[in-house]
Amino acid sequence: EALDAVFSRTGFTDGYFADRRGRAMFGVRTKEDVRRTEPVLASLRARYRKELPRVPLDAVLTLQPEMPAQLTLTDGAHTVRATGDCPQPAISRPSDPQSLRDACAKCGGTPYFLRDCRVEIADGLFFPAAACNALRREALDALREMRRCPPEKIETRPLPPPPAGARKSPPASARIARFADPAQLPDALPGVNAVCLPVECDFSALSVGNLPLLGHLPRGMLDEAPWRVHLERAKAQGVRAVFCGTLSAVSLCRAAGLIPLADFGLNLFNSAAVETVAALGVGAALLSFELPLRDANRIAPALPLGLFAYGRQPLMLTRNCPVANGVSCRDCRRDGAVTDRRRVAFPVRCRNGFSELLNANVLWLADRPADRPAFDFHLLSFTTESPAQVAEVLAAYAASGAPPQNYTRGLYDRGVK
């Protein structure tokens, strides 16, 4: 009931479990939902008003005649010692070890609790509770400061240093044009060195001249069996390599006798990651588009490396289509979009039962050729463009053309914050 009051938008759903996705899974938070929330939030806040004691401590309290009292605390990894006043000879009654343990155990408001406390006290001594409390507070403060320091990092397998300066540039970067649909293909493909299409399309019906044919698998796959069939057919129609966004897709391609190419979904961010996929049999790799160009240029070339140089970068992969909140799949013209509060439209494209939310603006690097030559290939990704728009983009990249009105540089300049 508490979760329902705080998080629910007109009810919960079992849509994923029951395989009944659609509009019913898109709730709206009503005024009634908000009204039910406030009383529950008050009780939830009370749960974390104080620290939850989750760190066990072991303590030793040492009290000897004419010697400063000493309290030692340890959490297993850190040990602190605090010293206080000297215990006094008892006038009427000596201190009871159990009462001293109780005083040491008062860790309220801290993340600690006392698991064990050993009291070493000589006969006939008295140590007041106030002095014991001060000793405990001093020791807990010292432990807190010690635990603030991060542990020393131990490098078990030092990574090789990146190459000094920029990677050696190939004579010319190949240009791969990737399409979401064969209907986007223009009449001519100037400056393109290879064409990449969904592996489920009919490659035998394409008219791309002698350009090499590449395939790309969907990022979302629940059942791999149909895709084995698609890969076998694509291979028979001349496809030799396929972009793979998951490790399972890499395995599927290798099993089909095709060369797997690492797609952006593998998020290759450093030299160690590139070396790892190379060991898995990947033939070439598209680097993460979250990687700053200055760092991408320094990655060790364990295999041919590519740059996502144009296109709408995928932002989110969903199982339940956000466009289906308004129309059914039957009525969808496959050009749906999600509009944010600033009325910016983010295109949504569906494939294999999954929906991909795309950036509202295209990534554009045509006017910055100095940033691009260090890579073996550049990927131009066409998702929403018409054949005429594709032709315009290809011409712009061949001539270092100016960007369109709405574009982005992505994270190539500033990286991930």
Side-chain angles (χ1 to χ4, degrees):
E1 291 176 356
L3 291 175
D4 183 27
V6 175
F7 294 107
S8 173
R9 285 164 170 76
T10 48
F12 287 117
T13 176
D14 61 355
Y16 289 122
F17 296 117
D19 199 21
R20 290 194 300 268
R21 298 178 305 280
R23 187 168 188 170
M25 292 181 63
F26 292 92
V28 177
R29 191 154 177 81
T30 64
K31 289 184 178 180
E32 175 63 20
D33 292 326
V34 175
R35 187 188 66 79
R36 294 172 55 218
T37 295
E38 190 54 39
V40 179
L41 286 180
S43 65
L44 291 178
R45 292 189 192 102
R47 293 175 178 264
Y48 57 86
R49 185 169 291 120
K50 295 182 178 180
E51 289 269 12
L52 289 177
R54 299 186 183 277
V55 181
L57 299 181
D58 296 324
V60 177
L61 177 63
T62 305
L63 301 170
Q64 297 296 325
E66 300 181 0
M67 293 182 64
Q70 180 175 281
L71 177 63
T72 303
L73 293 180
T74 180
D75 62 2
H78 310 85
T79 300
V80 296
R81 290 180 178 85
T83 56
D85 298 334
C86 297
Q88 301 298 317
I91 298 176
S92 59
R93 192 172 103 182
S95 292
D96 174 35
Q98 186 57 49
S99 64
L100 294 173
R101 290 190 190 94
D102 293 341
C104 291
K106 293 178 180 179
C107 302
T110 74
Y112 313 111
F113 67 92
L114 202 63
R115 178 173 54 191
D116 180 63
C117 181
R118 188 171 77 251
V119 176
E120 299 174 348
I121 181 171
D123 294 338
L125 293 181
F126 174 74
F127 194 62
C132 190
N133 291 336
L135 198 61
R136 182 200 66 243
R137 286 193 294 267
E138 181 182 342
L140 288 176
D141 288 343
L143 183 62
R144 180 184 59 192
E145 291 300 319
M146 185 177 289
R147 285 170 59 92
R148 280 182 177 178
C149 300
E152 181 182 356
K153 184 178 179 181
I154 300 175
E155 196 79 44
T156 56
R157 187 179 69 87
L159 296 176
R167 236 172 25 93
K168 184 178 180 181
S169 171
S173 300
R175 193 169 293 157
I176 299 175
R178 177 158 73 186
F179 300 90
D181 192 309
Q184 295 176 281
L185 282 165
D187 294 332
L189 294 164
V192 172
N193 303 100
V195 174
C196 182
L197 289 152
V199 294
E200 62 268 33
C201 76
D202 184 4
F203 288 88
S204 64
L206 302 178
S207 177
V208 295
N210 295 323
L211 291 177
L213 296 174
L214 308 176
H216 60 84
L217 282 164
R219 283 202 291 160
M221 284 190 291
L222 296 180
D223 184 3
E224 296 179 349
W227 297 99
R228 294 190 183 95
V229 176
H230 290 313
L231 289 170
E232 292 291 347
R233 185 174 63 184
K235 180 181 178 182
Q237 294 175 347
V239 174
R240 293 293 175 263
V242 175
F243 277 96
C244 304
T246 64
L247 293 176
S248 61
V250 171
S251 299
L252 282 176
C253 281
R254 293 190 61 184
L258 292 162
I259 300 172
L261 308 174
D263 211 343
F264 67 88
L266 289 177
N267 201 35
L268 302 180
F269 217 80
N270 51 47
S271 297
V274 171
E275 291 169 1
T276 298
V277 296
L280 294 176
V282 169
L286 185 68
L287 295 176
S288 170
F289 49 60
E290 294 183 338
L291 188 62
L293 285 173
R294 63 180 181 274
D295 296 332
N297 275 311
R298 300 175 69 226
I299 289 183
L303 43 72
L305 299 178
L307 180 73
F308 192 109
Y310 169 84
R312 295 183 185 273
Q313 297 164 298
L315 304 178
M316 186 183 301
L317 187 71
T318 68
R319 187 77 175 101
N320 196 33
C321 177
V323 177
N325 186 25
V327 298
S328 67
C329 292
R330 182 179 60 186
D331 299 326
C332 182
R333 296 179 300 175
R334 300 185 182 278
D335 61 352
V338 172
T339 304
D340 68 6
R341 58 184 174 83
R342 296 182 300 171
R343 298 185 179 180
V344 176
F346 294 79
V348 176
R349 293 297 178 266
C350 297
R351 183 184 180 192
N352 192 37
F354 289 81
S355 300
E356 201 155 38
L357 185 71
L358 306 176
N359 200 323
N361 299 324
V362 295
L363 183 140
W364 188 272
L365 293 180
D367 58 327
R368 295 173 60 177
D371 292 332
R372 298 180 281 120
F375 299 92
D376 298 285
F377 67 91
H378 299 145
L379 184 75
L380 309 183
S381 177
F382 300 101
T383 50
T384 64
E385 293 84 353
S386 66
Q389 290 171 327
V390 171
E392 291 176 2
V393 171
L394 293 179
Y397 270 74
S400 301
Q405 181 178 1
N406 297 316
Y407 72 97
T408 178
R409 301 296 190 189
L411 296 170
Y412 285 148
D413 290 337
R414 56 191 177 91
V416 180
K417 300 297 184 182

